[in-house]
Amino acid sequence: MSATRSRSAVLGRIRAATTTTPHAGTYESLPRAYRMQGELSSDQCVALLIERLREYDADITECTPDALIPTIATQIAKSGRSILAAPIGLPEDWLVPGCDWRVDHDLSHDQIEQTQGVVTAATCAVAESGTIVLHHGPAEGRRVLSLLPDWHLCVLKTSQVVETLPEYFARCDAPPALATFISGPSATADIEMTRIKGVHGPRFLNVIVVRD
Amino acid sequence: MIHPVLDPKLAPPFPKAALPVLRNPQLRKNVAHATDVITSKRGRLVAEKDDWQALRDAASALRAHVLENLGTYLEQFEERCTAAGGVVHWAADAAEAREIILNILRDENASEVIKIKTMTSAEIQLNPFLAQNGIEPHETDLAEIILQLGKDEPSHIVVPALHVNRSQVRDIFARTMHLPDLSDNPQELTAAARTYLRKKFLTVPTAISGANFLIAETGGVSVVESEGNGRMCLTLPRTMITLAGIEKVIPRYRDLEIMLQVLARSATGERMNPYTSLWTGVTKGDGPQRFHVVLLDNGRSDILQRERERQTLKCIRCAACMNACPVYRQTGGHAYGSVYPGPIGAILTPQLMKMEYAQSLPYASSLCGACYEVCPVKINIPEVLIDLRAKVTDQERNEERRFFDPLYLGMRMANKVFASAGRFQAAQRMMRIGLKPLTGKDGWIRSLPAYGARWTMTRDLRGVPQQSFREWWTSRANGKAKP
């Protein structure tokens, strides 16, 4: 069957199957009685996020906005890594001295693979599930940037933290073309249900929470 | 071990296929362990959500709404995906989907392709087809590589290798990856897979994925995973092909707020799966620059036509039903003779085959309702099972040779016996005498002759008791009842 013929055949069968059924209602009238809005205070919310991320074995550090740059430097030093990738729009002062920074001016996959870690910003974080959301803007980098390096240092502001997943979607003025939701480092439980960290993505997730 | 046949056209009926598993204690132990772990994790995490039932209601209503308006949402998806630089193909059946994918791969001069775990590609038997046509498919999900390298078949839709234990994985990896010194430590096994696949990710320029959700509003596609192999496949290659069942569409981006909350908890007993990716057509400088979506019907529009069975298509493939199913927990997935095992497989497979194959599957259930209770989109699986059983019986009754079939003759006789109390009591007395020599000391019958063997082949039969309830009741009224 040719492609256009299949298209009209499939759509035709679908139409025939659905025109006779009673219309259950519009999209707007669908039930949404689940929890949309969290009840926790901002501090409790951040505390919950940190607890959940730690359950995923992520490494969390808190700091004030003034201490961000030294905190980034300390975390990088502590990790023992020095060859680092950076998204093209990462604030320049985050590129702390003492490291070999590879800013993503069209880096090849091999060049990114040869770095030891990456530093990015984030769009949002959901406390209830311990999820970091990236929309891959200039400071968050291309998708591949937070994927190939073994270590991901993500800088998150407390103003970006929401309690529930619906609150994140309420914040999206327009749906993004690209998004990655990260809930802890890469993991598998395929062998006898034993949770193993880091199969293919970054094995280590390090989050700096900035109290802004 | 016998190589499982997961083609419903060729697979033996369920009771026959289940036998080797029931006689394999290691396999049963592996299956029981995995399903126990997921079920208890799931229970704990569902309990902490006070809005769980509200989420189920929302998820169920949303999926039902999509199915009622499927044509509209698919056309909207097609339009937006195309506008974003994707190419949308429609495949009426498995053969057409395979051809479309092969042609795209040939245009790309591909000799190999990396794959994100996709049940839909298994449904259309894509891997053997590609291999026959000179294109080597590489599975990248850890469980899927275990199966691919071990020449085994998936037995679960979320944890496809749950029937294999660590020492079996070790043997497969040691042999196929040439690592004789590999231990059976899961950490080390996982690291071996990581090294083995990293090179493939960086060098193979074409990839195939399934889709968890297609978003009509944006033309975007979403894939939910744990390991990051999905992210590798959908960002590194030059060309990406997504194969998706037509039922996978959801109306808007924000609907993920429902679906993601119910999916991870139901599937793996986690608050959220480690990675969820969403992409829309092609994005300059980020990810594959050529993107194809193949929308697969393959029997789905037939299911849509039957109002009660339509709910089968609400399924989001979380596998909670199989983990909860007392039958699946004993037999594992291979006995179902389909890539879709468990309760959902028992209703989905015969319907996808247009009720021409897999007729034993609607009977592979105790109708206990555990599957309905855990289903995050509230598919009433027992209701559909009963409906399909009726269809199978109707089909069989209408076959002419059935008129002389001993089973149906027996059934017609039984019908007469059950219709009269006198005849029923007489039959009971006859059975008590007739079955006595076959009944063991413990009151159980292990093996019946002739047609009865079809029952005792897979289960024991309780012998006829010395006294029927009716007899006991009468003697009780006469004051002679034994306690």
Side-chain angles (χ1 to χ4, degrees), chain A residues 6-7 15 27 34 168 186, chain B residues 75 96 227 253 255 257:
Chain A
S6 288
R7 180 184 186 278
R15 297 270 185 230
Y27 176 82
Y34 53 87
Y168 151 71
S186 155
Chain B
E75 282 188 299
E96 194 176 8
E227 296 173 10
Y253 181 59
D255 297 326
E257 75 188 24

Side-chain angles (χ1 to χ4, degrees), chain A residues 150-171:
Chain A
D150 204 27
W151 183 69
H152 180 190
L153 176 64
C154 184
V155 178
L156 193 66
K157 292 183 247 168
T158 50
S159 58
Q160 292 175 315
V161 180
V162 295
E163 187 183 332
T164 65
L165 198 60
E167 286 170 87
Y168 151 71
F169 284 93
R171 280 189 177 198

Side-chain angles (χ1 to χ4, degrees), chain A residues 1-2 6-7 10-11 13-15 17-18 21-28 30-36 52 55-56 109 113 128-129 131 135 142-144 146-148 150 165-166 168-169 172 175-183 185-188 190-203, chain B residues 33-34 38 49 51 54-55 58 61-62 65 67-69 71-72 74-75 78 90 96 140-143 159 165-166 186-187 189-190 194 197-198 201 218 226-227 229 231-232 234-236 251-258 261 270-280 283 285-287 297 301 305 307 310:
Chain A
M1 221 186 279
S2 82
S6 288
R7 180 184 186 278
V10 172
L11 276 171
R13 285 207 294 265
I14 291 170
R15 297 270 185 230
T18 49
T21 40
H23 202 65
T26 59
Y27 176 82
E28 282 69 26
L30 290 171
R32 286 175 191 270
Y34 53 87
R35 213 154 67 94
M36 299 251 183
R52 294 283 146 94
E55 279 178 38
Y56 294 134
H109 293 161
E113 157 86 357
E128 194 191 8
S129 57
T131 304
H135 282 185
R142 297 187 288 155
R143 287 178 289 169
V144 64
S146 50
L147 175 64
L148 285 176
D150 204 27
L165 198 60
Y168 151 71
F169 284 93
C172 287
L178 296 174
T180 306
F181 295 37
I182 299 172
S183 309
S186 155
T188 185
D190 277 339
I191 301 172
E192 292 187 18
M193 309 311 293
T194 315
R195 188 179 167 101
I196 305 290
K197 214 170 63 164
V199 197
H200 303 296
R203 279 186 293 178
Chain B
H33 173 67
I38 309 177
K49 286 291 282 176
D51 60 344
L55 277 167
L62 181 76
H65 168 83
L67 294 175
E68 273 166 20
N69 301 279
T72 311
L74 282 172
E75 282 188 299
E78 178 185 38
W90 298 70
E96 194 176 8
T140 62
D141 173 78
L142 179 56
V159 206
N165 66 16
R166 64 179 74 189
Q187 189 88 49
L189 294 170
T190 307
R194 179 183 170 100
L197 283 168
R198 190 50 76 116
F201 290 134
T218 59
S226 291
E227 296 173 10
N229 65 305
R231 292 181 66 195
M232 292 280 180
L234 53 89
T235 40
L236 297 176
R252 298 193 192 164
Y253 181 59
R254 75 166 282 206
D255 297 326
L256 288 173
E257 75 188 24
I258 306 169
Q261 289 199 72
E270 292 171 295
R271 294 193 181 91
M272 190 69 93
N273 50 290
Y275 294 129
T276 298
S277 293
L278 179 116
W279 71 99
T280 314
T283 301
D286 191 337
D297 182 341
S301 58
Q305 277 161 22
E307 253 176 75
R310 174 183 293 174

Side-chain angles (χ1 to χ4, degrees), chain A:
Chain A
M1 221 186 279
S2 82
T4 36
R5 269 184 58 201
S6 288
R7 180 184 186 278
S8 54
V10 172
L11 276 171
R13 285 207 294 265
I14 291 170
R15 297 270 185 230
T18 49
T19 42
T20 53
T21 40
H23 202 65
T26 59
Y27 176 82
E28 282 69 26
S29 66
L30 290 171
R32 286 175 191 270
Y34 53 87
R35 213 154 67 94
M36 299 251 183
Q37 194 65 46
E39 292 120 34
L40 300 179
S41 70
S42 165
D43 279 354
Q44 289 171 317
C45 202
V46 171
L48 180 65
L49 175 75
I50 292 172
E51 182 194 317
R52 294 283 146 94
L53 284 170
R54 285 202 172 122
E55 279 178 38
Y56 294 134
D57 295 326
D59 202 320
I60 320 293
T61 320
E62 291 173 81
C63 73
T64 60
D66 295 341
L68 175 60
I69 307 305
T71 307
I72 293 177
T74 325
Q75 290 304 310
I76 292 172
K78 245 177 68 188
S79 80
R81 291 169 166 87
S82 58
I83 308 168
L84 298 170
I88 192 163
L90 202 73
E92 256 179 53
D93 49 352
W94 292 15
L95 306 178
V96 296
C99 296
D100 176 1
W101 289 99
R102 315 263 168 98
V103 180
D104 184 26
H105 297 287
D106 286 325
L107 290 175
S108 72
H109 293 161
D110 283 332
Q111 286 171 312
I112 299 170
E113 157 86 357
Q114 280 150 22
T115 63
Q116 298 167 324
V118 62
V119 180
T120 75
T123 298
C124 183
V126 180
E128 194 191 8
S129 57
T131 304
I132 293 168
V133 183
L134 305 180
H135 282 185
H136 304 286
E140 292 154 54
R142 297 187 288 155
R143 287 178 289 169
V144 64
L145 215 56
S146 50
L147 175 64
L148 285 176
D150 204 27
W151 183 69
H152 180 190
L153 176 64
C154 184
V155 178
L156 193 66
K157 292 183 247 168
T158 50
S159 58
Q160 292 175 315
V161 180
V162 295
E163 187 183 332
T164 65
L165 198 60
E167 286 170 87
Y168 151 71
F169 284 93
R171 280 189 177 198
C172 287
D173 296 328
L178 296 174
T180 306
F181 295 37
I182 299 172
S183 309
S186 155
T188 185
D190 277 339
I191 301 172
E192 292 187 18
M193 309 311 293
T194 315
R195 188 179 167 101
I196 305 290
K197 214 170 63 164
V199 197
H200 303 296
R203 279 186 293 178
F204 304 93
L205 176 64
N206 193 318
V207 183
I208 298 178
V209 179
V210 189
R211 300 203 167 268
D212 66 339

Side-chain angles (χ1 to χ4, degrees), chain B residues 95-291:
Chain B
E96 194 176 8
R98 291 191 295 254
E99 282 301 325
I100 293 169
I101 293 170
L102 180 64
N103 285 335
I104 299 168
L105 291 172
R106 285 204 169 133
D107 286 347
E108 297 287 331
N109 289 320
S111 59
E112 45 188 348
V113 62
I114 47 177
K115 291 185 69 203
I116 310 178
K117 179 171 115 54
T118 134
M119 296 312 299
T120 319
S121 88
E123 174 190 325
I124 66 166
Q125 315 268 349
L126 185 63
N127 286 3
F129 175 80
L130 292 181
Q132 277 159 25
N133 284 280
I135 295 169
E136 193 187 353
H138 301 287
E139 293 294 345
T140 62
D141 173 78
L142 179 56
E144 294 279 351
I145 328 165
I146 294 171
L147 299 178
Q148 190 175 36
L149 297 178
K151 300 202 186 310
D152 197 351
E153 297 283 347
S155 65
H156 189 280
I157 65 180
V158 171
V159 206
L162 93 172
H163 59 288
V164 186
N165 66 16
R166 64 179 74 189
S167 77
Q168 293 166 316
V169 175
R170 190 216 84 90
D171 293 346
I172 294 167
F173 281 10
R175 193 176 68 238
T176 55
M177 294 177 184
H178 311 291
L179 301 167
D181 300 328
L182 197 63
S183 83
D184 69 355
N185 176 322
Q187 189 88 49
E188 203 179 312
L189 294 170
T190 307
R194 179 183 170 100
T195 315
Y196 175 81
L197 283 168
R198 190 50 76 116
K199 218 178 115 213
K200 299 274 179 232
F201 290 134
L202 288 165
T203 55
V204 179
T206 47
I208 294 173
S209 83
N212 288 91
F213 304 104
L214 306 172
I215 298 151
E217 177 189 20
T218 59
V221 179
S222 179
V223 161
V224 168
E225 48 136 357
S226 291
E227 296 173 10
N229 65 305
R231 292 181 66 195
M232 292 280 180
C233 291
L234 53 89
T235 40
L236 297 176
R238 181 182 67 210
T239 301
M240 171 82 206
I241 305 166
T242 296
L243 173 69
I246 49 174
E247 81 283 12
K248 290 283 177 174
V249 69
I250 56 173
R252 298 193 192 164
Y253 181 59
R254 75 166 282 206
D255 297 326
L256 288 173
E257 75 188 24
I258 306 169
M259 305 321 291
L260 292 180
Q261 289 199 72
V262 295
L263 181 53
R265 278 187 163 78
S266 302
T268 50
E270 292 171 295
R271 294 193 181 91
M272 190 69 93
N273 50 290
Y275 294 129
T276 298
S277 293
L278 179 116
W279 71 99
T280 314
V282 295
T283 301
K284 200 169 175 298
D286 191 337
Q289 296 301 295
R290 279 172 249 171
F291 174 56

Side-chain angles (χ1 to χ4, degrees), chain B residues 323-357:
Chain B
N323 300 329
C325 177
V327 176
Y328 177 91
R329 289 164 63 91
Q330 294 303 316
T331 63
H334 291 159
Y336 292 79
S338 160
V339 296
Y340 301 114
I344 188 67
I347 63 171
L348 184 60
T349 306
Q351 295 190 81
L352 285 179
M353 307 309 288
K354 306 188 181 186
M355 296 305 291
E356 283 171 24
Y357 300 93

Side-chain angles (χ1 to χ4, degrees), chain B residues 389-401:
Chain B
R389 287 183 186 187
K391 283 205 163 64
V392 172
T393 313
D394 285 345
Q395 279 178 357
E396 288 183 346
R397 209 192 347 248
N398 291 336
E399 286 171 33
E400 215 164 276
R401 61 181 175 80

